[in-house]
Amino acid sequence: MLAIKLDTLTNKDFFLHKILPSLLCILIGAGVLHAQAGTISGFVRDSTNHESLSFVNVFVKGTERGAATNRDGYFVITSLPRDTLEVIASIIGYAPASRRIDLREQDHIRLDFQLAPTVLAGEEVTITAQRQRFRQSVEVSTVTLDTREIKVAPAFVEADVFRTLQLLPGVQSISDYSSALYVRGSTPDQNLILLDGIPVYNPFHLGGVFSTFNTEAIKEAEFIAGGFSARYGGRMGSVLEIINRDGNARELSGQANISLISSKLLAEGPLPQLGALKGSFMLAGRRTYFDQIVDAVAYATGHAKKRGYVGFPYYFYDLQAKANLDLGDRHRVTVSLFKGRDVLKAVDKYDSETPDRYLEEDIASDVYKHRFAFDWSWGNTTRSIAWRWVVSPRLVSKVYLAGSRFRYGILTTDYSYDKIIYDDGVVSESSRENRFEIFDLVGDQTGRVELTYLPNSRHTILAGATRKWLHFNLGWTFAWRWTENGRTESRKDTSLWMDYRPVEQAIYLEDKWQVAPRLLVKAGLRTSSYSLHDDWDLEPRLGAKLFLRSDLALTASAGRYYQYLTTANPGDENFRVIDLWLPTPSDRSAPLSDHFITGVEYLTSDDLLLKVEAYVKSFTNLVYLEQGYYFFMEPDAEPGMEVALSEFHPARAAAYGLEFLAKKSSGKIRGWIGYTYAQTRWRTAEHGWYAPKYDRTHTLNLVADWQLSEKWHFSTACSYATGNPYTPILARYIPFEEYYGRYWEEHFGTSGEWFLLGGKNSARYPSYQRWDVSFVKRRPMGKTGSKEVYFQILNVLNHMNVFQYFYTEKYDPKANEDLGIQRSAIPMFPIFPTIGVRYEF
Amino acid sequence: MNFRPTMLLVLLVMLGCRGWDSELVRSKDFESQLNVLAILSPDDGGVVEVQVMRTLPLEGPTGERSDPFTECHYSEYYDSTICHERTRWISYYSVTDALVTLSDGGATYDFRYDDRVDRYQYTGYYVPVDTNFFPVTGVTYQLSVETPDGLEVSGTCTIPPPVAIKTDLLSDTLQVRKTFDVAWTHTANYVQVLIRSVPDTGYAWHACEVWKHAIVQDDSSWTFRIVPDCWEEADTLIPYFEVEISVLAMDKRYYDYFISPEGGANETTFIFLGMGDTGRSQGIEGGLGVFAAYRSDTVRRLVKR
């Protein structure tokens, strides 16, 4: 009997000691065994900068044999006739390259292509990356944005990949002030955001107004709104994989961008060649400079020396670095680093010496110093090293070691020092210091091994194992220190201390299988464990694509997704500075989501992609933080005792919707029209089913990018969406309170005036409308460089989009009477012009 | 493409800096509801707390309305009755003309609006016409409130059995920062324990304050420590102080209305104005409020510092 019980399957030892070693042996063995079969393989790169090119069509002329390059630019073509062959690599935007090979005497030939960019298109063999993706990719709900699409879409002040993604179907935004992604009913903490394969936990600056990713450094961004394959795990919403540029391996070049708020600089070039070792690097940085401008003006005008001057207390910066080192033609080592930080810092100083008020007393001198410092900073640091090894033409291994760290901290320090010398020589010296600190640390150390094996032209098998060592440390402390004439007293209270070090591990296997000429299937299984729980969780994934014609396909996908982390933010807040991450407690089941997606894709002859998708998602074992319980004090809390931040309540949710996308990725006019019909509902014991804050029923986006002439470029984004939900107030009343407290003699009474509310989030703000435009004027500079001046206007029509209502009492001073409750709207972005300049050299 | 960027920028910024509009919020299809507090307990000297209020629309006045009245009293000094014109303030929420009755299946007890001026009138107190009315253990009472404009609510409530602190298990003198157990006899699911400085001990009460509070569910004892918050001078002046230990056994309605965090479906999104909820109602049919009963027992103990 080969039957295996389910509990055996979910047993940790069984997987670690049986399945994984067997899997790796089979794959490596098979790869070596098949190495002698007749194949060609190689990489396709851009001839100008050596960047790898994905979805390039590589085919053997006169046969039906061919393949598309993967994200690394790698291709394998198998089962070729033993003959002299002509192999062609082509993709739109590049001149096709052709090479003749002789396979009569060899089983395998390594064949690398260098394609030269060209503005000309029209060769009959030239096809677009989009068409290749249409043919090869099984993943539903996937959109790939190249650097141009990210850069040209109008965004707030400067291009932002998250702002561009917010314009795709299935993605909703909660407000203009947030670039967080709400995808098909999922919240931002359910998005797996990978930068060169490394998870990033809070990828935002300024409370979400900007994302941390510098668009100058991005090569491409792949966004999967749902139904993602077994390769991805740990999140149950969507995947955003950002790939940074490898760096120009041919020559030293750079870019500079100056916008209203920040400057960006990018430098890239080849690494010094040492024998067979060669490589490239990319270094990009960005910093806001408003604080520096304010300081410069203040120093010039003398204001900086005045008491109370704090300047502009905020800035952010980010740095991205990447280096690739090719060790021969089979090994590549990639090192990447990212550091982003937001700093909100202010210091107030006051010093005095022998004030006049003491002159008539018996004080000879008095030195007094006071410092109040507020330091609120947060940011991410990631670093990784990846080793890619082409074991054989059919087997490629990748090993990653990566670390991701997010730290958020608020520290206030109040310090004073006083030294008094009396006339009789007696000295009195005292100091006092109060420190209050809130911090949140998320650490993620990841090791991952991944093998890609192509046994034949019909199968692409991918297997991998990953282990994460996580660290969550959330604390809230108050320290007090007092010194007087040598006597010191101090006290430190830790009101909140949560320190967890869970371990997450997963093993996955997937096969992209050409079942029949018209049927492509990707089946996968991921099993993951979480050290605070006992069992392994099974996550089956299945995707299929049935080609009705060469340009028309039906797609379907289903999968189960577990997530072991959550954020401790109240669900009702619509502006969050930061996410506070926590592991799922050991006494709660792991949250999971099931995705079911089906759709139709049609790619017209002129490369217009038409896509319709319907999805249903369920969410189980969700937890949410009770509104207003951010810093909930235990009823019996005493100084020094813990405060419960983890006042989580169980919830579940469901989401379904229908999306339409028409996307044109080539030609003079590019862009897309996206429409989303979405329904998301949460269910809690307190409120029953309700629409969460980010639910928008209808969303329509139009993004167009028009090359007007060689010099001028125009782009626009137009959005319409149903207003976000909010809880309406219906009437006023006064609830009763129990006064069984400290000072009250009466046992019962009333609190102040309260509002009687309608159903939770049962009303909606007026519909959201925004139209943005952007003009770019490009001028050549030198032989290869250019200068671009861009001018954008956000919300051209100055439409008042409501961010939130706030309520006040309306009072008539003439009649001396209250008129009732009035509400005002806090608006989202008003009309907002911005200008910037970008250099390439 | 011939435009003047500077002028355009200025114009756009001016357009973008428009003010925020405000509008009065109207209560659509508003129908007022009664909001009634009715708490009964044979303990604490007999508690019969009844307050009647109503909900108000969002538009219209808030706060209190003035109610001028004449207050007279006899003065021995002048040997005559002296009257003063005074004004009291009555909340717009208060209902002063309701017909309030409690019945125990046999007798019916009428209540009247308590217009005593020494009581704050904000909340609309009602007191039994029969001053001898006293809630009785095990009896089920029916509450009925009607107003002349047609609003009415009702409810029933049974007085639970008494609760008693097991004094023999509690030391006569407690020591600060040491742990003690307070135990009680009762079958209620929810018990509220309160340990506080005895209010009527003057200076000592202020010098060393104690306030500990706990909700105990499905248990009949609670372990506590007294950590007083004392004045610096109290170190030498107050070697002992007195605390009051109260145990309040409540029915589920009382717990859900006053204690349970889930009881109110709270929202805090109304920035700049206040709180709101979906309307708390426990034991009140046809309106808001609470009709509940509780039992309590209190002992005093000396605490040694």
Side-chain angles (χ1 to χ4, degrees):
Chain A
M1 288 291 286
L2 289 173
I4 300 172
K5 286 184 179 177
L6 188 64
D7 57 351
T8 308
L9 276 173
T10 56
N11 180 278
K12 188 186 295 184
D13 293 337
F14 182 76
F15 263 99
L16 284 179
H17 300 125
K18 304 281 184 193
I19 297 269
L20 181 61
S22 310
L23 191 66
L24 297 178
C25 287
I26 290 168
L27 286 174
I28 292 172
V32 173
L33 285 173
H34 280 271
Q36 73 273 20
T39 55
I40 57 170
S41 64
F43 289 89
V44 182
R45 296 191 173 94
D46 185 317
S47 66
T48 58
N49 55 21
H50 216 60
E51 289 275 355
S52 55
L53 296 172
S54 54
F55 290 104
V56 176
N57 186 32
V58 184
F59 62 97
V60 179
K61 195 171 182 181
T63 72
E64 292 192 347
R65 310 300 300 171
T69 55
N70 64 14
R71 187 176 290 149
D72 295 329
Y74 186 69
F75 71 93
V76 180
I77 305 174
T78 59
S79 309
L80 290 170
R82 298 299 181 96
D83 204 349
T84 54
L85 304 169
E86 184 179 359
V87 184
I88 298 171
S90 77
I91 188 170
I92 199 160
Y94 290 86
S98 172
R99 298 268 298 275
R100 290 200 72 82
I101 57 166
D102 188 349
L103 260 181
R104 286 175 300 185
E105 301 295 326
Q106 299 178 73
D107 295 324
H108 166 250
I109 290 178
R110 169 75 179 251
L111 193 61
D112 291 345
F113 286 93
Q114 306 276 337
L115 302 188
T118 176
V119 292
L120 301 172
E123 296 270 353
E124 68 273 10
V125 293
T126 301
I127 65 167
T128 60
Q130 177 153 287
R131 188 165 298 278
Q132 271 296 4
R133 200 173 285 123
F134 176 80
R135 288 178 183 171
Q136 302 289 335
S137 178
V138 189
E139 278 84 7
V140 297
S141 315
T142 304
V143 175
T144 303
L145 298 174
D146 59 29
T147 183
R148 170 174 161 160
E149 286 168 320
I150 295 165
K151 282 183 181 172
V152 298
F156 179 59
V157 184
E158 56 189 41
D160 191 315
V161 62
F162 279 57
R163 296 282 180 186
T164 308
L165 289 167
Q166 284 180 337
L167 297 167
L168 292 172
V171 185
Q172 291 169 329
S173 112
I174 199 163
S175 81
D176 287 349
Y177 302 115
S178 170
S179 54
L181 308 175
Y182 293 82
V183 186
R184 292 182 173 175
S186 285
T187 47
D189 59 327
Q190 294 167 5
N191 301 327
L192 177 63
I193 294 167
L194 299 168
L195 178 64
D196 284 330
I198 314 162
V200 182
Y201 283 83
N202 282 288
F204 304 109
H205 288 302
L206 195 61
V209 176
F210 302 100
S211 80
T212 52
F213 302 123
N214 183 344
T215 50
E216 309 298 323
I218 295 173
K219 178 182 169 188
E220 68 175 30
E222 184 174 84
F223 178 67
I224 313 173
F228 42 91
S229 70
R231 182 169 182 258
Y232 302 104
R235 298 289 190 281
M236 56 186 175
S238 67
V239 175
L240 171 61
E241 185 153 20
I242 291 173
I243 308 296
N244 269 342
R245 298 156 65 123
D246 289 338
N248 191 333
R250 296 285 184 203
E251 60 183 1
L252 195 63
S253 63
Q255 292 178 25
N257 187 334
I258 302 167
S259 75
L260 282 180
I261 63 154
S262 74
S263 289
K264 299 182 201 173
L265 200 62
L266 180 140
E268 56 186 339
L271 291 172
Q273 191 165 344
L274 294 169
L277 302 181
K278 55 184 180 179
S280 62
F281 75 93
M282 184 276 298
L283 186 65
R286 167 172 64 166
R287 192 194 190 280
T288 58
Y289 46 64
F290 199 63
D291 59 316
Q292 299 295 320
I293 293 172
V294 170
D295 277 351
V297 172
Y299 279 107
T301 58
H303 279 78
K305 292 179 181 170
K306 292 183 179 175
R307 194 197 164 191
Y309 173 77
V310 291
F312 187 75
Y314 174 80
Y315 67 92
F316 70 74
Y317 68 88
D318 43 57
L319 286 168
Q320 297 183 53
K322 190 172 179 179
N324 293 291
L325 191 62
D326 290 326
L327 312 163
D329 60 359
R330 295 173 70 183
H331 298 273
R332 166 172 277 204
V333 175
T334 303
V335 178
S336 66
L337 174 75
F338 168 79
K339 185 176 176 65
R341 199 128 196 94
D342 287 59
V343 179
L344 181 60
K345 200 172 188 176
V347 179
D348 182 27
K349 294 181 189 174
Y350 174 69
D351 295 341
S352 72
E353 195 161 338
T354 318
D356 292 342
R357 61 195 164 90
Y358 289 133
L359 291 179
E360 59 193 50
E361 299 177 14
D362 56 350
I363 294 173
S365 75
D366 182 358
V367 175
Y368 178 76
K369 294 178 180 176
H370 181 248
R371 305 274 183 280
F372 178 78
F374 178 79
D375 186 347
W376 184 3
S377 59
W378 65 94
N380 285 288
T381 305
T382 70
R383 65 269 179 212
S384 72
I385 182 164
W387 168 39
R388 186 185 69 202
W389 173 27
V390 182
V391 182
S392 76
R394 294 163 188 264
L395 182 67
V396 178
S397 95
K398 285 183 182 176
V399 179
Y400 296 85
L401 291 173
S404 180
R405 184 177 189 271
F406 169 76
R407 193 181 190 286
Y408 160 85
I410 299 175
L411 173 66
T412 63
T413 310
D414 189 1
Y415 172 79
S416 64
Y417 168 82
D418 199 3
K419 183 177 181 181
I420 301 172
I421 302 174
Y422 294 90
D423 290 339
D424 57 6
V426 174
V427 177
S428 170
E429 192 173 16
S430 65
S431 66
R432 176 182 58 81
E433 183 174 2
N434 296 326
R435 289 166 63 92
F436 176 64
E437 186 173 17
I438 300 173
F439 60 89
D440 182 28
L441 172 74
V442 184
D444 177 336
Q445 308 294 328
T446 302
R448 181 153 59 103
V449 180
E450 195 171 274
L451 300 171
T452 307
Y453 173 54
L454 295 95
N456 52 50
S457 61
R458 295 172 63 190
H459 289 274
T460 304
I461 298 171
L462 187 138
T466 180
R467 185 176 172 93
K468 280 176 180 290
W469 292 265
L470 300 162
H471 183 204
F472 299 89
N473 188 195
L474 182 60
W476 181 11
T477 64
F478 180 80
W480 173 82
R481 190 165 183 272
W482 178 73
T483 304
E484 186 171 19
N485 299 328
R487 199 183 87 170
T488 299
E489 286 184 27
S490 64
R491 173 170 171 166
K492 184 174 181 181
D493 292 328
T494 303
S495 305
L496 172 67
W497 182 262
M498 299 171 81
D499 195 6
Y500 299 98
R501 293 176 183 270
V503 176
E504 231 186 277
Q505 25 187 10
I507 301 165
Y508 53 91
L509 175 68
E510 66 181 38
D511 181 16
K512 192 174 92 172
W513 180 19
Q514 185 85 50
V515 180
R518 289 179 179 272
L519 180 61
L520 205 54
V521 169
K522 187 181 263 189
L525 180 66
R526 185 183 180 94
T527 178
S528 49
S529 82
Y530 173 60
S531 61
L532 300 185
H533 294 163
D534 289 333
D535 292 334
W536 285 67
D537 295 314
L538 287 177
E539 300 174 81
R541 317 274 171 89
L542 181 67
K545 194 168 194 175
L546 175 65
F547 289 88
L548 301 176
R549 297 184 339 202
S550 64
D551 55 1
L552 179 67
L554 297 178
T555 56
S557 180
R560 168 160 287 193
Y561 304 86
Y562 280 91
Q563 178 162 340
Y564 305 108
L565 316 176
T566 188
T567 50
N569 294 63
D572 282 344
E573 67 181 12
N574 54 5
F575 184 79
R576 58 178 62 178
V577 173
I578 215 69
D579 288 332
L580 296 174
W581 288 87
L582 291 172
T584 301
S586 55
D587 60 342
R588 291 192 183 274
S589 301
L592 69 101
S593 177
D594 290 323
H595 298 191
F596 300 95
I597 304 160
T598 184
V600 182
E601 290 181 16
Y602 174 57
L603 189 63
T604 66
S605 56
D606 55 351
D607 238 28
L608 173 67
L609 177 69
L610 299 169
K611 194 152 86 169
V612 179
E613 278 186 7
Y615 68 88
V616 177
K617 283 169 81 174
S618 66
F619 301 84
T620 313
N621 302 331
L622 294 176
V623 291
Y624 76 99
L625 192 67
E626 177 58 53
Q627 181 82 350
Y629 275 58
Y630 220 132
F631 294 113
F632 177 74
M633 188 72 78
E634 289 280 9
D636 190 37
E638 292 176 3
M641 292 185 69
E642 283 195 354
V643 173
L645 185 75
S646 53
E647 280 294 314
F648 288 116
H649 298 265
R652 60 194 171 102
Y656 62 90
L658 185 70
E659 295 162 5
F660 169 78
L661 174 70
K663 185 169 184 277
K664 186 107 173 51
S665 299
S666 59
K668 258 192 167 182
I669 300 178
R670 304 181 187 187
W672 64 86
I673 298 173
Y675 166 75
T676 304
Y677 170 80
Q679 293 283 348
T680 304
R681 295 292 181 272
W682 275 58
R683 181 176 169 76
T684 62
E686 187 178 3
H687 298 290
W689 287 101
Y690 66 93
K693 262 300 202 207
Y694 52 87
D695 179 61
R696 288 178 168 178
T697 310
H698 303 280
T699 308
L700 179 66
N701 289 310
L702 165 74
V703 179
D705 157 23
W706 187 9
Q707 189 73 48
L708 297 167
S709 66
E710 273 192 32
K711 279 186 178 176
W712 283 96
H713 186 273
F714 169 75
S715 62
T716 186
C718 198
S719 301
Y720 168 87
T722 310
N724 290 82
Y726 73 98
T727 303
I729 57 175
L730 305 177
R732 294 174 289 174
Y733 87 117
I734 294 182
F736 300 102
E737 296 293 324
E738 183 202 40
Y739 288 164
Y740 212 55
R742 185 183 296 206
Y743 301 112
W744 300 95
E745 290 306 306
E746 288 183 346
H747 195 139
F748 301 98
T750 58
S751 64
E753 190 175 60
W754 279 47
F755 294 114
L756 199 56
L757 308 179
K760 184 173 177 67
N761 291 345
S762 58
R764 290 193 180 258
Y765 293 126
S767 62
Y768 175 91
Q769 296 167 43
R770 203 175 108 186
W771 179 32
D772 304 337
V773 294
S774 169
F775 295 91
V776 179
K777 187 180 181 185
R778 184 185 171 94
R779 204 177 63 186
M781 211 175 67
K783 281 186 180 175
T784 55
S786 66
K787 175 188 173 186
E788 285 182 357
V789 178
Y790 56 90
F791 175 67
Q792 297 184 345
I793 307 172
L794 262 65
N795 198 1
V796 175
L797 301 178
N798 200 24
H799 184 265
M800 161 73 98
N801 292 309
V802 177
F803 174 65
Q804 179 160 0
Y805 285 138
F806 71 92
Y807 300 87
T808 51
E809 286 171 1
K810 192 172 180 67
Y811 176 70
D812 182 355
K814 289 180 184 169
N816 191 25
E817 64 178 8
D818 295 314
L819 299 177
I821 304 299
Q822 64 180 351
R823 78 177 175 204
S824 307
I826 301 173
M828 296 194 209
F829 288 159
I831 186 167
F832 193 94
T834 177
I835 193 163
V837 59
R838 184 185 300 130
Y839 293 95
E840 275 187 41
F841 47 86
Chain B
M1 299 297 170
N2 184 19
F3 52 81
R4 294 172 182 274
T6 311
M7 294 296 291
L8 185 61
L9 275 171
V10 171
L11 179 68
L12 293 177
V13 170
M14 286 172 66
L15 277 170
C17 294
R18 66 182 185 180
W20 299 349
D21 298 327
S22 297
E23 57 181 337
L24 264 179
V25 188
R26 307 278 174 193
S27 291
K28 280 183 192 169
D29 308 321
F30 175 77
E31 288 183 11
S32 186
Q33 297 180 77
L34 286 179
N35 179 26
V36 175
L37 170 87
I39 303 292
L40 304 176
S41 178
D43 304 317
D44 294 339
V47 173
V48 183
E49 287 266 355
V50 176
Q51 299 175 40
V52 181
M53 295 199 289
R54 68 195 317 154
T55 61
L56 293 177
L58 297 171
E59 60 271 27
T62 184
E64 298 128 358
R65 62 184 164 83
S66 63
D67 181 21
F69 67 101
T70 303
E71 185 182 51
C72 300
H73 67 274
Y74 176 75
S75 167
E76 288 184 359
Y77 183 79
Y78 293 106
D79 191 23
S80 66
T81 300
I82 296 173
C83 293
H84 300 282
E85 294 298 316
R86 292 183 60 181
T87 299
R88 64 186 159 201
W89 298 90
I90 299 178
S91 166
Y92 283 105
Y93 293 96
S94 294
V95 177
T96 59
D97 54 358
L99 183 61
V100 179
T101 60
L102 265 184
S103 70
D104 58 9
T108 298
Y109 305 95
D110 292 331
F111 282 60
R112 63 173 175 80
Y113 178 66
D114 182 11
D115 58 356
R116 284 181 296 161
V117 293
D118 59 343
R119 196 165 202 182
Y120 187 49
Q121 295 301 301
Y122 195 74
T123 46
Y125 284 86
Y126 283 76
V127 293
V129 174
D130 177 359
T131 54
N132 293 319
F133 172 71
F134 199 86
V136 179
T137 303
V139 172
T140 299
Y141 292 94
Q142 285 93 41
L143 171 73
S144 170
V145 181
E146 291 177 33
T147 62
D149 57 351
L151 300 178
E152 57 181 63
V153 296
S154 61
T156 60
C157 179
T158 303
I159 307 296
V163 63
I165 294 173
K166 294 178 179 174
T167 51
D168 53 326
L169 300 180
L170 186 66
S171 303
D172 289 337
T173 304
L174 309 176
Q175 177 75 45
V176 294
R177 301 184 192 282
K178 288 198 171 177
T179 56
F180 296 92
D181 288 335
V182 55
W184 54 86
T185 58
H186 193 268
T187 54
N189 290 330
Y190 305 100
V191 168
Q192 185 170 204
V193 183
L194 181 72
I195 302 172
R196 59 178 176 173
S197 330
V198 173
D200 57 3
T201 48
Y203 175 74
W205 176 51
H206 292 291
C208 272
E209 286 188 35
V210 175
W211 191 83
K212 287 182 71 69
H213 175 257
I215 303 297
V216 182
Q217 195 171 341
D218 300 323
D219 206 348
S220 57
S221 70
W222 184 56
T223 304
F224 66 95
R225 267 189 329 149
I226 292 176
V227 182
D229 183 9
C230 293
W231 291 355
E232 209 170 309
E233 309 89 83
D235 285 345
T236 52
L237 296 175
I238 313 289
Y240 289 89
F241 60 92
E242 198 172 15
V243 293
E244 201 172 71
I245 301 172
S246 302
V247 167
L248 186 146
M250 59 195 118
D251 61 12
K252 189 169 185 317
R253 292 169 178 174
Y254 189 106
Y255 176 82
D256 285 344
Y257 189 89
F258 292 114
I259 309 292
S260 166
E262 280 86 23
N266 290 348
E267 291 280 339
T268 54
T269 54
F270 305 102
I271 50 175
F272 306 127
L273 196 57
M275 302 276 289
D277 64 18
T278 49
R280 284 187 255 172
S281 183
Q282 295 292 336
I284 298 289
E285 299 280 330
L288 304 177
V290 56
F291 184 24
Y294 75 92
R295 302 306 300 261
S296 73
D297 190 20
T298 299
V299 296
R300 289 186 176 189
R301 288 291 185 269
L302 276 179
V303 181
K304 189 180 175 186
R305 300 193 61 215

